[in-house]
Amino acid sequence: QVQLVESGGGLMQPGGSLRLSCAASGSIVSVAAMGWYRQAPGKERELVAMITRAADTNYADSVKGRFTISGDNAKNTVYLQMISLKPEDTAVYYCYARIMPLGGYNDDYWGQGTQVTVSA
């Protein structure tokens, strides 16, 4: 019954910017953390950025200083502002959330992924 809905992916030139959004909806009691992972072809899925309900954040070294994660607890929504995009940022970006659903225990949830392509 919990669903993560992503938006904001697309094609961008190197040096450009994109903003990803992800909203968790459904029978949610609480959200402990939300974040973003990405997976490039032939590579493992990797953490990009994470934010807790208390607004603690962490980033992959490869994006630190270029990407900013933020959240809106009232909307159960997380954002990823990406600037100075590089071709190596090209990947499918997946929204992640750790959620306590109604009638259940904390569990991990994933969005379907949104393609980010950085190319000249």
Side-chain angles (χ1 to χ4, degrees):
Q1 200 167 355
V2 174
Q3 182 173 294
L4 305 183
V5 180
E6 303 159 332
S7 63
L11 175 65
M12 182 57 63
Q13 296 179 347
S17 301
L18 286 172
R19 191 187 193 220
L20 306 182
S21 299
C22 176
S25 62
S27 300
I28 296 170
V29 175
S30 63
V31 178
M34 296 186 72
W36 296 91
Y37 288 72
R38 68 185 182 187
Q39 187 168 24
K43 296 186 177 181
E44 297 290 328
R45 185 175 298 189
E46 64 173 346
L47 174 69
V48 177
M50 189 73 64
I51 186 168
T52 70
R53 185 174 183 85
D56 298 316
T57 61
N58 62 87
Y59 298 88
D61 288 341
S62 59
V63 308
K64 208 161 193 174
R66 299 187 298 118
F67 292 8
T68 302
I69 190 168
S70 61
D72 186 333
N73 288 339
K75 297 180 179 179
N76 291 328
T77 298
V78 67
Y79 308 93
L80 186 68
Q81 181 66 54
M82 306 184 293
I83 66 170
S84 301
L85 283 163
K86 304 175 180 180
E88 49 263 47
D89 295 319
T90 296
V92 178
Y93 284 69
Y94 295 92
C95 181
Y96 162 86
R98 185 161 181 82
I99 293 172
M100 178 181 291
L102 183 65
Y105 300 97
N106 284 341
D107 203 1
D108 298 325
Y109 294 85
W110 294 91
Q112 290 298 118
T114 183
Q115 178 70 48
V116 172
T117 302
V118 184
S119 176

